[in-house]
Amino acid sequence: MNYGKINKNDIANGLGVRVSLFVSGCIHRCKECFNPETWDFGYGEKYTAETEKTIIDAMKYQHIAGLTLIGGEPMEPCNQRELIKLVRKVCEIYPEKNIWCYTGYTLERDLMGEGKAVCEVTSELLGFIDVLVDGEFEIDKKNITLKFRGSENQRLILCKRSLDEGKIILHELN
């Protein structure tokens, strides 16, 4: 897996100050994507044990609310297989911090059951995600007044709770 950037003090991609990992590789290619360079799976730098250590170390500060996985597409199966290792460690070391994930995939259609982005680690990874922002960015539904998403079709899903209760529960931001 490659990544384009690590933002150690991100306030745009989830509640509070966060560490955000921008992974490389995305097949969605949304029109007017804010990050088209990350469509290429070879873009950026190789994700290594040192990269993981950088992220873990950046999260040690009390003001960091959690980790955001963004891209590119974190839920591409090849990215999931690397990200599960990071997320396991983050949740073990920092159980009080939360995990947000941005995906162009839709939870019910693509990330569950026989969905096109499901692989052997998908269920486990979803079980660690507190908020899943799902759905492709759609330019005709662009709305700059929305918090933490760009188009009206995208949802902020309380992922763990939705999985536990067997129905989609949206995050209601005040």
Side-chain angles (χ1 to χ4, degrees), residues 5-139:
K5 178 170 84 168
I6 298 169
N7 188 339
K8 295 179 182 176
N9 288 287
D10 189 352
I11 59 169
N13 297 301
L15 287 172
V17 181
R18 316 185 63 72
V19 174
S20 293
L21 173 63
F22 291 77
V23 302
S24 296
C26 182
I27 64 168
H28 303 296
R29 300 187 180 322
C30 300
K31 185 177 180 182
E32 295 194 32
C33 171
F34 81 103
N35 218 3
E37 62 276 7
T38 64
W39 294 351
D40 180 355
F41 285 86
Y43 173 75
E45 298 181 44
K46 188 79 176 151
Y47 183 89
T48 65
E50 186 60 34
T51 311
E52 183 178 272
K53 182 180 181 329
T54 298
I55 294 166
I56 297 290
D57 288 348
M59 294 190 66
K60 70 183 175 188
Y61 301 100
Q62 187 174 1
H63 73 277
I64 298 296
L67 173 68
T68 296
L69 306 174
I70 193 165
E73 176 55 78
M75 297 306 289
E76 290 293 348
C78 60
N79 290 338
Q80 290 182 52
R81 291 179 181 106
E82 286 299 318
L83 292 173
I84 189 63
K85 300 170 199 172
L86 169 65
V87 169
R88 283 177 189 141
K89 283 188 182 175
V90 167
C91 290
E92 178 184 322
I93 297 168
Y94 306 112
E96 74 284 4
K97 299 187 189 265
N98 58 62
I99 308 285
W100 281 51
C101 180
Y102 284 76
T103 181
Y105 290 113
T106 302
L107 179 60
E108 313 93 289
R109 184 185 67 225
D110 303 317
L111 298 172
M112 298 175 75
E114 299 295 316
K116 64 183 167 187
V118 173
C119 70
E120 70 280 0
V121 298
T122 306
S123 291
E124 182 183 5
L125 184 56
L126 288 171
F128 286 116
I129 296 170
D130 295 285
V131 178
L132 183 72
V133 183
D134 83 337
E136 293 183 10
F137 172 73
E138 295 181 16
I139 189 64

